[in-house]
Amino acid sequence: MLRPMPRMPSRLNRTEMSLRDKIWQINWSLIAVLTAIAGVGFATLYSAAQGSLEPWALKQIVRFAVGIGVMITVALIDLRFWMRNAYILYAIAMVLLIAVEVKGTIGMGAQRWISLGFIQLQPSEIMKIALILSLARYFHGASWQEVGRPLFLIVPLLMVFAPALLVLKQPDLGTALMLVMSSGALFFMAGVRVWKFVVVIGATLAALPVAWQFLREYQKKRVLTFLNPETDPLGAGYHITQSKIALGSGGMFGKGYMMGTQSRLNFLPEKQTDFIFTMFAEEWGMMGGLVLLGLYALLLAFGYAIAMRCRNQFGRLVAHGVTTIFFLYFFINTAMVMGMLPVVGVPLPLISYGGTAMLSLLFGWGLVMSAYIHRDVPISRRGISDE
Amino acid sequence: MHNDTDRSKMFSRRAMFLGGAKATLIGALAARMYYLQVMEADKYAMLAEDNRISIRLLAPPRGLILDRNGVAMAVNQHNYRVMVVAERSPSLDYTLDGLARIITIGDGERSRIHKEVRRRRSFVPVIVRENLTWEEVARIEVNASDLPGVVIDVGQSRHYPLESLGAHILGYVSAVSESDLTDDPLEELPGFRIGKGGVERIYDMALRGRHGTSSVEVNAVGRVIRELERREGEPGIDLNLTLDVRLQEYAAQRLGDESAAVVVMDIHTGAVLVLASTPSFDPNSFNRGLTVEEWKELSTDSRSPLSNKAIAGQFAPGSTFKMLTALAALEGRDITPEMRVFCPGHMQLGSIKFHCWKKEGHGAQDLISGIKNSCDVYFYEIARRTGFEKIAEMARRFGLGVPTGIDLPNEKSGLMPDKAWKRKALKQPWYPGETLVNAIGQGYVTATPLQLATMTARIANGGYAVVPHVARDPIVDKVVRPRGAPDWPGVGVSRQSLALIRKGMFGVSNEPGGTAYKARITQEGMWLSGKTGTAQVRRITMRERETGVKKNDQLPWKERDHALFVAYAPDHNPRYSIAVVVEHGGGGSAVAAPIARDIMIEVQKRDLARVAGNAGSGEPPPPSDLRRF
C-alpha cells in the first residue's frame, strides 16, 4: 500500500539511509541545548566543591562527554534495530532488577546499585528506557480496535507493574512512580480510551489509604512532613526547610556565583545531587532558575516536535516517552526542593552528580534523535519496512 | 477503520493535551519560584542569617608522663564540671541563683565568674564549678530547663598518682594566665590547664597535643541542632622519663624530713635516675586550686618545699670542690702528684691565718692523701701556686658556674667567681686570701646539686662533658626524637690527671682514715669513690676559735653547716654519679655520705636486677591502658 509522503524530500530515500545521510541529519541544536543544561550542572558542581573541579565537576564532564558519544551512536543506529530488540532489552533490565533484589549493594538504605566492577549499575534507570521501548513496540503493532479492547491492555500493564513493584520494593518510591506515570502517558498517547484513565485514577485515589499501609516508615514521615513541614523542622522536615531558606534567600538575582552561604555552610544537604537546584537558585536567584526552566522547556519542545514530526508510531511513542520521563525528572526534583512535593530521591536531569542517570538520559535522547533521523522511515506492524 | 493518518492526528491531539499539561506544571514551578524568591525573599533571607555554624574546640587528652619503667607519674581523670554560657542566659545572676540552689556558690566564686565572663567572648563557656559529683550532675540536668545557659561538660583533669613523689620534676598544671597566652586556640577552652614548672612546662606543647574541632549548627537561640563535621585532634605525646620512681621514692624516704637534695645520674648518657628535693609538695593540690592557708604554708616554709633544690638550690660546694682545684694545678703543671705540703693545722698568708678543718694538722700531704684526708692546707698551698683564674676556668669545664642545660625549667647556674666577676659585681679587686677560701669551695663559689653530680660524672667518665636530662627521648617540635648514642665532647683534661683524682676519691671512701671510710660500701662490685664536703654558712670569729669552735648541734638550724657528698660507683668501672646536699645538715662525712651510700647500693641493686631480669632487652613498654585514668 503506497501512500503519499508529502514531507519527504525527494532527494532522500529514507527507507535505507547511508551513515553519511544519517550524520547529516543529526540535530545539533538539540545537542546544544543538552550541553547548555549540562554546563549549568558543571558550573554548579564546581561551586558546590568550593571552587574546585574535584571531586564532582570533572567526573561529571567526563561522563557527559561519554554520554554524548553514546547518544550519537544510539541515534545513528537504525530505529528498527531498537524496535526489534526492545523486548530483549526489557528482559535484560528485568534480570538486572531481580539481581539487585537478590544481591545488590546497599547504598543510602536502598538496594539500587549493582556493581559491575568498573561501573555502579542502577538497573532501574535502564528499565525506564527499556520500558518505553517495549511499550512503544507493543503499541506500534496495535490497531485502533485492538487498543480499545481491555484484554489487549493486560500484557502492557504487566510490563509496567512487574518492574514498578520490584523498584518499589528496593525501596525507591520516586522511580516506581516515574515508571508508572511515564507509562501512563504512553498508554494515553497510544490511544487508550480516556474513560479508562478516569476509572484507573479514581480507583487509585480510592486505594490510597490501603497503599499507605505498605509505605515504609520514613516514606510515610516524608509525606506527612510534606503536608505539614513545620511540625518537624529539625527532623524529617529539615531538608525542605533548609532548601526553602537557601532558595528563598537567593532572591530575584541570587547571591552570586560561588557565594551561596547556605549551601556553602553545609546547611543544605546533598547539595551536589538531589538539592543541586536549590544551590543553583540560591546563587543565581529567580532569574537563573527561570533560565534553567526555560532550557528544560526548550528541550521538551524539541522532544514534542520530533514526536509529532515522526511518521511511524514507534518513533512517536519513543520520542514522547523519553520526553515525558525527562519532564518527570526535572518536575519532581524542582517541585520537591521548592516544597511542592514530598522528598523523593529523584535527581535533576543532566545536572545532579551521578553517572547512571546521566548515561540513561542521554541514551534516551539518543533514541529520540534516532526517531528524528529515521522520522520518515515507515515501519510495518511487525517492525519491517512497509515497502 | 482508523488508518495511520488518523492515528497520527489522534497522537497530535493528545500530545497537545499532555504538552499543555506539562507547560502548566512548568508555569506552576515558575510561580512557586516567584513566591519563594521574590514575595517571601525577605523572610528567608532573615532565616538564612539565623542559620549559624559554630566551631567548637575539642581538647585532646594530655600526654601521660611515665618513669623509665612505665610507671605512670601523671595521668588524666574524668572531671564533671558545670559551665555557664553568658550569651545564652538572659541574666547571669538569675542563672547563678538557680544553680546556687543545687551547688553552693560563694560570693568570691560569683565575682570570679562575672570577671571571667567579662574577660572572655560571650559565647565562651565559663566554669562555675569543677569536680562535680554524679548526683550534682544529675540534679543540674533534671533542672536544666530552669537554668538557661548552663552546660554540663565532662573534661579531663590531671592527676599525679604518686602525689609528692617526683613533684619537682613533674611540675604541675594550672589555669592559663594572661601572660601564658600564645596563639594556641586550646588556651581559650574553659578549664584548660597548661604545664607550670617541671617537665609539664618544658614539654607542655608536646604534651598538649593538637586541638580538634567540631562544627555544630546552632539555631537563633544558640541551641546546638546537630554536629556537621568533627575533626579529631591529636592526643598529646606520652613522655617517658629517665627517672626510676622506686629509686626516687627510696631517696626521698632516706632524706626524710631534711631540707635536702639528691641527684643520681648515668655518667655516660646523662640520664637522671633520681632527682629528689625535700620537702616536697602534692602537685594535685595546684590543679584543685590551693586555699590561701595552704599557699601560705607552702610559700613561707623555711625549708622551701616549692623550690627544686636539686637544680635551683645554690650551695657552697665546700670540699667537694677540691678535685677541681687539684685538676687545675695538675693540668697547669704547677704541682706534681708527688709534691708534699706540710700541714700544721693552718697556713699563714700575709697577716691572716687560714685554718685547716683539723686543728692539729695532717702533717706531710701529697695529692692522693690531700684528697683522702681533705686537707685544707694542702689545697691552700696548691691554689696559691696555681691562682684562682685557672681554677675557675677548670671548674667551668666541669659544669660549674653555668646551667647544665637539663630539660627542666628554672635551673640556676650557681656562681664561679673570678677577677672580672668581682670587679664587675662588687667593684673590688681580687684578694689573694680569696683564692685560698674559694679553692676549698667556700667564699663566693656556689653550685647546685645537679652541677655537682654532673661534675662528678665528668670526672668518673674520663673527662667527657656529659649533660644531664630527664626525658628519655627528647621532644623537639612536638616530635619525639630517640636519643642516640651520646657523643659528648671532651673537657680537655688528661686521663692521667683524672686517674689521680679518682685514686684520691677511692681513698676517701675505701681506705682507713679516709673522710668517708665509715660510709663505705662493703658489697663486692658496688664500691663507691667519693668526696665529702662541709660548707660553713657562718663566719667563725677569732674569739670563737680561741674558746673552741661550736659544734653543729649547739647552733640554731639556720647556722649549721651544709653537708655534702659526691661520689660515683662502681669504683672500678663507674656507671653512676651522685650528689647529696643536706641543707644545714652538719658534716659531709657524718650526714651526707651515709645517705649517698645507701642510695648508691639501691641504685646498683636495681641495676643488677634489671640486667638479670631482661638481659639487655631494654625497658619494658609502658602499659597502654593508662591514658584514661
Side-chain angles (χ1 to χ4, degrees):
Chain A
M1 186 174 72
L2 269 169
R3 291 184 309 274
M5 298 181 191
R7 295 193 198 117
M8 189 176 111
S10 54
R11 62 184 176 89
L12 275 178
N13 176 359
R14 292 296 168 88
T15 310
E16 289 306 325
M17 296 166 73
S18 68
L19 187 63
R20 199 188 142 93
D21 296 334
K22 290 180 180 182
I23 289 173
W24 271 106
Q25 287 293 314
I26 288 176
N27 190 336
W28 290 105
S29 8
L30 176 63
I31 290 176
V33 177
L34 287 171
T35 310
I37 294 175
V40 168
F42 306 151
T44 313
L45 287 173
Y46 181 79
S47 171
Q50 322 279 339
S52 163
L53 286 173
E54 298 293 334
W56 300 310
L58 193 62
K59 264 191 182 167
Q60 188 82 343
I61 290 170
V62 171
R63 283 167 180 169
F64 180 72
V66 171
I68 286 290
V70 168
M71 175 186 164
I72 290 173
T73 313
V74 169
L76 294 178
I77 293 172
D78 197 303
L79 193 59
R80 284 164 293 186
F81 170 85
W82 295 115
M83 183 165 158
R84 269 198 301 277
N85 293 298
Y87 292 152
I88 295 168
L89 201 64
Y90 179 85
I92 292 170
M94 259 325 259
V95 168
L96 288 175
L97 264 184
I98 293 165
V100 280
E101 192 57 46
V102 177
K103 177 182 173 290
T105 311
I106 309 277
M108 302 293 282
Q111 281 193 330
R112 291 178 194 176
W113 294 288
I114 191 161
S115 180
L116 290 184
F118 62 100
I119 190 172
Q120 296 276 74
L121 208 59
Q122 216 169 327
S124 60
E125 293 289 341
I126 300 171
M127 181 47 90
K128 283 173 193 159
I129 302 298
L131 185 57
I132 288 168
L133 281 175
S134 309
L135 290 176
R137 171 167 179 184
Y138 187 84
F139 284 115
H140 171 82
S143 69
W144 172 252
Q145 287 82 358
E146 278 173 326
V147 175
R149 281 206 306 270
L151 280 181
F152 183 78
L153 298 179
I154 289 177
V155 174
L157 280 174
L158 282 176
M159 279 204 280
V160 176
F161 283 106
L165 286 174
L166 277 174
V167 171
L168 190 64
K169 200 168 173 296
Q170 279 181 356
D172 187 351
L173 181 62
T175 306
L177 283 175
M178 275 172 75
L179 285 176
V180 172
M181 284 159 78
S182 61
S183 307
L186 222 132
F187 276 60
F188 181 72
M189 296 311 297
V192 175
R193 307 299 185 269
V194 174
W195 66 265
K196 287 187 179 122
F197 286 95
V198 176
V199 169
V200 169
I201 291 169
T204 311
L205 289 176
L208 268 184
V210 183
W212 180 254
Q213 307 300 319
F214 290 98
L215 288 182
R216 301 270 171 131
E217 202 51 49
Y218 82 95
Q219 291 168 330
K220 284 184 191 175
K221 207 170 174 188
R222 276 182 184 173
V223 175
L224 285 178
T225 311
F226 160 68
L227 294 175
N228 191 2
E230 319 307 325
T231 51
D232 189 12
L234 300 178
Y238 179 82
H239 289 187
I240 283 304
T241 310
Q242 291 301 333
S243 176
K244 277 158 74 181
I245 291 174
L247 209 128
S249 64
M252 177 79 92
F253 299 104
K255 296 176 183 166
Y257 184 51
M258 314 257 289
M259 316 257 268
T261 55
Q262 299 302 293
S263 343
R264 207 148 299 275
L265 289 179
N266 271 323
F267 279 104
L268 198 61
E270 311 264 332
K271 59 176 182 286
Q272 78 279 14
T273 55
D274 289 356
F275 283 87
I276 195 165
F277 181 78
T278 309
M279 178 163 185
F280 175 74
E282 187 194 1
E283 297 191 343
W284 296 90
M286 191 181 83
M287 287 305 157
L290 287 180
V291 167
L292 187 59
L293 276 192
L295 283 173
Y296 277 129
L298 193 59
L299 202 56
L300 293 189
F302 267 105
Y304 270 89
I306 290 170
M308 302 225 262
R309 177 75 181 68
C310 224
R311 284 204 57 239
N312 52 71
Q313 180 74 345
F314 180 73
R316 280 195 290 255
L317 290 177
V318 166
H320 186 269
V322 170
T323 311
T324 303
I325 278 275
F326 193 81
F327 169 79
L328 286 173
Y329 261 111
F330 90 75
F331 177 76
I332 292 177
N333 179 276
T334 44
M336 166 185 92
V337 301
M338 287 195 279
M340 296 163 79
L341 282 180
V343 175
V344 283
V346 173
L348 190 61
L350 300 178
I351 292 185
S352 283
Y353 179 74
T356 349
M358 170 83 88
L359 278 176
S360 68
L361 279 166
L362 287 173
F363 191 97
W365 282 106
L367 290 173
V368 176
M369 184 91 88
S370 180
Y372 174 76
I373 292 171
H374 304 90
R375 60 190 177 273
D376 291 326
V377 175
I379 307 177
S380 79
R381 281 195 178 187
R382 290 191 311 279
I384 312 155
S385 172
D386 276 354
E387 273 98 344
Chain B
M1 180 184 168
H2 290 262
N3 63 16
D4 203 54
T5 320
D6 296 326
R7 205 154 71 165
S8 171
K9 276 184 185 157
M10 187 269 299
F11 185 92
S12 297
R13 265 197 323 271
R14 292 196 168 191
M16 285 301 186
F17 175 76
L18 275 188
K22 284 173 189 172
T24 313
L25 287 175
I26 291 175
L29 288 178
R32 178 73 172 175
M33 228 182 269
Y34 178 77
Y35 173 75
L36 288 176
Q37 298 195 287
V38 178
M39 287 166 71
E40 300 265 79
D42 291 344
K43 172 184 143 194
Y44 287 118
M46 208 180 69
L47 286 173
E49 200 51 40
D50 284 340
N51 272 333
R52 285 215 184 90
I53 303 260
S54 151
I55 308 268
R56 305 191 170 204
L57 287 179
L58 302 172
R62 194 171 173 85
L64 305 181
I65 302 177
L66 310 160
D67 93 331
R68 63 161 48 217
N69 297 314
V71 178
M73 300 182 76
V75 296
N76 303 314
Q77 279 184 336
H78 282 305
N79 168 16
Y80 289 98
R81 54 201 183 190
V82 56
M83 307 191 287
V84 60
V85 181
E87 80 174 358
R88 289 192 220 160
S89 164
S91 148
L92 192 57
D93 275 314
Y94 172 80
T95 301
L96 291 180
D97 286 342
L99 260 184
R101 284 193 284 273
I102 299 167
I103 55 170
T104 50
I105 301 172
D107 286 342
E109 284 291 277
R110 200 177 274 251
S111 64
R112 173 191 63 81
I113 293 162
H114 273 285
K115 209 161 80 188
E116 264 193 67
V117 164
R118 276 196 299 276
R119 192 161 68 103
R120 294 172 192 272
R121 283 177 280 173
S122 63
F123 59 83
V124 176
V126 167
I127 290 183
V128 178
R129 258 270 298 281
E130 290 196 81
N131 304 310
L132 295 177
T133 65
W134 184 239
E135 200 201 322
E136 287 169 325
V137 171
R139 291 184 64 194
I140 293 169
E141 290 282 16
V142 165
N143 293 300
S145 56
D146 296 332
L147 300 167
V150 164
V151 183
I152 295 274
D153 175 70
V154 51
Q156 292 198 312
S157 68
R158 200 62 156 171
H159 179 64
Y160 303 95
L162 306 180
E163 295 176 350
S164 63
L165 192 64
H168 293 107
I169 303 150
L170 292 174
Y172 54 93
V173 294
S174 91
V176 188
S177 61
E178 214 95 34
S179 56
D180 299 320
L181 287 176
T182 63
D183 47 5
D184 187 350
L186 274 175
E187 289 155 4
E188 287 231 14
L189 276 179
F192 186 73
R193 300 277 196 268
I194 61 166
K196 300 257 178 103
V199 290
E200 290 273 30
R201 172 160 150 210
I202 284 277
Y203 295 110
D204 189 37
M205 281 303 179
L207 288 166
R208 272 187 203 182
R210 223 192 313 272
H211 66 90
T213 52
S214 151
S215 314
V216 290
E217 183 192 326
V218 293
N219 64 10
V221 291
R223 186 160 294 281
V224 174
I225 292 167
R226 59 180 184 144
E227 189 173 57
L228 298 168
E229 193 190 11
R230 193 181 175 87
R231 273 217 330 266
E232 293 295 342
E234 280 170 34
I237 294 169
D238 290 349
L239 187 62
N240 294 288
L241 299 183
T242 58
L243 235 53
D244 185 325
V245 164
R246 273 179 55 186
L247 292 176
Q248 180 86 10
E249 185 178 15
Y250 180 83
Q253 269 172 13
R254 187 64 185 78
L255 293 175
D257 292 336
E258 299 281 5
S259 174
V262 173
V263 176
V264 177
M265 63 185 272
D266 186 309
I267 61 164
H268 300 296
T269 65
V272 173
L273 279 82
V274 175
L275 193 126
S277 172
T278 55
S280 186
F281 62 92
D282 183 356
N284 293 308
S285 59
F286 282 84
N287 197 19
R288 273 199 310 268
L290 287 174
T291 62
V292 179
E293 295 76 50
E294 280 176 311
W295 173 249
K296 222 174 228 166
E297 205 182 310
L298 278 173
S299 55
T300 57
D301 190 329
S302 58
R303 298 180 306 158
S304 47
L306 290 180
S307 150
N308 184 359
K309 297 183 193 83
I311 62 167
Q314 304 178 94
F315 306 96
S319 303
T320 59
F321 186 76
K322 285 175 179 163
M323 283 87 82
L324 300 176
T325 303
L327 277 171
L330 275 174
E331 289 291 295
R333 306 200 182 283
D334 300 311
I335 60 163
T336 62
E338 297 78 27
M339 187 197 82
R340 283 165 182 262
V341 174
F342 184 80
C343 167
H346 60 86
M347 177 173 157
Q348 195 78 30
L349 188 75
S351 59
I352 310 168
K353 204 180 205 179
F354 290 87
H355 292 269
C356 185
W357 65 269
K358 196 172 179 183
K359 207 176 167 189
E360 52 280 19
H362 287 99
Q365 297 287 304
D366 63 6
L367 177 71
I368 304 296
S369 58
I371 294 173
K372 176 185 160 189
N373 298 321
S374 197
C375 174
D376 292 337
V377 170
Y378 176 81
F379 288 95
Y380 291 151
E381 175 57 24
I382 67 172
R384 193 187 59 76
R385 297 187 184 199
T386 308
F388 199 74
E389 291 301 294
K390 274 195 211 165
I391 296 171
E393 197 266 331
M394 181 61 70
R396 284 193 194 100
R397 287 201 234 166
F398 281 81
L400 268 58
V402 284
T404 61
I406 192 171
D407 42 355
L408 286 173
N410 299 323
E411 188 194 2
K412 291 281 178 1
S413 63
L415 178 62
M416 202 59 242
D418 56 18
K419 283 177 185 160
W421 168 82
K422 198 182 174 200
R423 206 178 308 120
K424 202 172 161 220
L426 304 176
K427 314 259 185 288
Q428 280 176 357
W430 185 267
Y431 301 115
E434 286 171 339
T435 298
L436 305 198
V437 173
N438 285 283
I440 62 162
Q442 300 277 164
Y444 307 119
V445 182
T446 62
T448 66
L450 180 67
Q451 284 175 323
L452 294 178
T454 305
M455 169 195 84
T456 311
R458 291 177 184 184
I459 292 171
N461 70 13
Y464 292 98
V466 60
V467 171
H469 61 86
V470 292
R472 200 167 67 183
D473 300 311
I475 301 168
V476 181
D477 298 333
K478 299 196 180 185
V479 178
V480 182
R481 301 260 156 84
R483 224 179 260 282
D487 196 7
W488 311 110
V491 296
V493 172
S494 73
R495 291 181 170 276
Q496 293 89 323
S497 303
L498 284 169
L500 286 166
I501 300 299
R502 286 201 296 267
K503 200 174 172 205
M505 290 173 75
F506 179 84
V508 169
S509 292
N510 301 303
E511 287 171 11
T515 52
Y517 181 68
K518 282 181 192 152
R520 70 189 178 280
I521 293 177
T522 52
Q523 282 95 325
E524 199 54 51
M526 292 191 188
W527 289 13
L528 62 73
S529 296
K531 181 72 196 79
T532 55
T534 305
Q536 264 172 231
V537 293
R538 67 198 176 96
R539 176 169 284 275
I540 299 173
T541 57
M542 291 293 273
R543 186 185 303 163
E544 191 183 334
R545 283 201 193 278
E546 281 159 23
T547 55
V549 176
K550 278 186 188 158
K551 288 275 179 332
N552 267 312
D553 38 1
Q554 296 171 299
L555 290 166
W557 184 73
K558 272 282 185 190
E559 289 182 17
R560 292 181 198 174
D561 298 337
H562 295 326
L564 296 100
F565 191 70
V566 299
Y568 60 84
D571 69 292
H572 55 283
N573 181 20
R575 169 107 194 252
Y576 302 108
S577 73
I578 185 171
V580 176
V581 177
V582 183
E583 213 179 355
H584 309 296
S589 52
V591 177
I595 294 173
R597 172 197 62 199
D598 293 348
I599 293 171
M600 280 306 238
I601 290 173
E602 213 55 34
V603 168
Q604 294 182 84
K605 268 192 200 159
R606 287 280 280 166
D607 201 26
L608 290 174
R610 190 158 38 239
V611 172
N614 45 19
S617 68
E619 327 276 12
S624 58
D625 58 344
L626 279 166
R627 179 166 294 285
R628 267 163 207 92
F629 290 99

